Amino acid sequence: MAHDTGKSLLCNLFDVAVTSAKPDAVLANFLPEKPATGRVAVVAAGKAAAAMAAALEEVWGACEGLALTRYGHAVPTKSIEVIEAAHPVPDEAGRIAAGRILDLASSLTEGDTLVTLISGGASALLSRGAGVISLEEKAELTRALLASGAGIGEMNTVRRHISAIKGGRLAAAAYPARCLTFAISDVPGDQPEIIGSGPTVADPTTQAQAKAILAKYRIGVPASIQSVLEDPAFESPKPGDESLSRTGFHMIATPQMALEAAKAAAPLPCHLLGDAIEGEAREVGRAFAGLARAVKEGKSAFTAPCLLLSGGETTVTLPRGASGRGGRNVEWLMGFAEGIAGIGGISAVAGDTDGVDGAAEVAGAYADSTTADRARAAGYNLDEAMAAYDGHGFFEKLGDQIITGPTNTNVNDFRAILIR
């Protein structure tokens, strides 16, 4: 199988996984009949927010509401207003929109229905701080968490406890109206409280846990954040809270579903290695390279030729002074490429299903046994790129980037390894 053929096969599986999780492919399967009485308000937040709103309107027709999504991720809707804001570091547009969403929910009464459409990215976009926490203070904390190596669950535990809208507070604001949530999961384990920091579900974590996470990563916070974390009045709604008694939650797409769709389309024996793999990105890539080598050498339960698929959300801990353009998928691929250098017949694709790996408008990349040698010939050694955390610059030079543009969904990372 030639280089280009293997690359085409792997990229096609990535496309299949992404397409299977698009709102217009899945949301209609979960929607009930549109409520016949009372106001129906729709609020959406996340990278798939506008697409989810449009898919709902295809079934229910024009609706009152607001969708908050990342810059560049808007799609046309019938009547639901679409607002774009910054992700992953929040901005003023997100703060204002979050306030409007909270006000809309608060205006509902018993007999009304709030429909909430949540997807990955909602946590950063819904940037309304609790108490007197400013936007810049939230943004600075987000930057620190992103650079610390904290997992998404840890990040969202902190976010829930400094927010006026996350951690069940949106549903609590709408009470006693009914609240129905439809979510696309982008987190390992698919826990509702972690997807978008759970604006409509009970928060099982505590202020003490949020403070412990900040201490673990040695992240200092200003007095405004510290006071919110110390004041019991700002604790999030917990399981059994009366204000969350009229809520329903439905998962419409998950990383596992996307992996299974890709497996069904695979032309070779295909093995799923898990949808919730975490860890330092390049180290996980090196570990997967070791597994691929074992399969190639006949030292594994898997037999070549085959495909190995996995998902999850690895992390990247940036050292002080790192200046490259990177993301967790290209970091994973650099670790993988290092581990398979010179061993023929192994290749891989890794990409974020939302089309954005890190802060770059690039979904991910392709790597194979020749990646390190091709880079050396192009004048950019793999070890230099890894030292600079410059995965996007590295794969751009090789012409092996995967650029999809906004995909209007987000079921986390997708990785496919081909072993010939």
Side-chain angles (χ1 to χ4, degrees), residues 12-290:
N12 179 64
L13 292 179
F14 178 69
D15 291 341
V16 168
V18 169
T19 300
S20 75
K22 286 181 178 286
D24 58 5
V26 292
L27 181 57
N29 300 327
F30 294 86
L31 284 175
E33 291 290 324
K34 184 177 182 180
T37 59
R39 283 176 68 196
V40 177
V42 179
V43 297
K47 296 175 186 175
M52 293 179 81
L56 178 139
E57 287 183 327
E58 284 299 310
V59 181
W60 281 6
C63 293
E64 172 189 7
L66 190 153
L68 173 60
T69 194
R70 188 181 193 268
Y71 289 119
H73 290 241
V75 300
T77 54
K78 290 183 170 69
S79 60
I80 295 172
E81 181 183 356
V82 177
I83 296 175
E84 294 178 301
H87 176 280
V89 178
D91 68 356
E92 182 68 7
R95 189 190 72 81
I96 293 171
R100 290 182 59 194
I101 286 174
L102 201 56
D103 289 344
L104 177 57
S106 300
S107 73
L108 300 176
T109 60
E110 190 170 6
D112 297 337
T113 303
L114 177 69
V115 178
T116 308
L117 309 173
I118 299 296
S119 56
S123 191
L125 290 161
L126 292 170
S127 53
R128 195 78 175 183
V132 296
I133 297 172
S134 71
L135 174 65
E136 183 49 45
E137 287 169 337
K138 287 200 72 177
E140 185 57 38
L141 178 55
T142 298
R143 292 186 194 99
L145 285 165
L146 286 167
S148 71
I152 187 63
E154 293 175 313
M155 289 184 62
N156 284 359
T157 293
V158 175
R159 284 167 161 170
R160 285 194 294 275
H161 285 94
I162 63 170
S163 173
I165 193 169
K166 296 188 275 283
R169 295 179 179 88
L170 178 59
Y175 183 79
R178 185 170 63 141
C179 178
L180 300 177
T181 299
F182 301 90
I184 295 176
S185 173
D186 71 324
V187 299
D190 304 326
Q191 297 112 304
E193 70 272 14
I194 297 181
I195 303 167
S197 292
T200 63
V201 298
D203 177 15
T205 66
T206 65
Q207 290 169 314
Q209 287 172 294
K211 289 187 289 184
I213 290 164
L214 294 175
K216 174 183 175 181
Y217 293 103
R218 301 180 181 178
I219 297 173
V221 295
S224 59
I225 292 178
Q226 191 65 40
S227 64
V228 164
L229 293 176
E230 297 287 352
D231 187 345
F234 287 108
E235 183 59 278
S236 51
K238 297 292 177 271
D241 193 296
E242 175 67 20
S243 66
L244 303 179
S245 62
R246 301 199 65 205
T247 62
F249 190 94
H250 307 275
M251 203 85 70
I252 66 170
T254 68
Q256 181 67 22
M257 293 177 188
L259 290 173
E260 289 172 354
K263 180 179 180 180
L268 295 170
C270 188
H271 309 285
L272 303 187
L273 303 182
D275 68 337
I277 293 168
E278 299 178 272
E280 190 68 24
R282 66 175 58 172
E283 296 304 325
V284 177
R286 287 169 174 147
F288 273 62

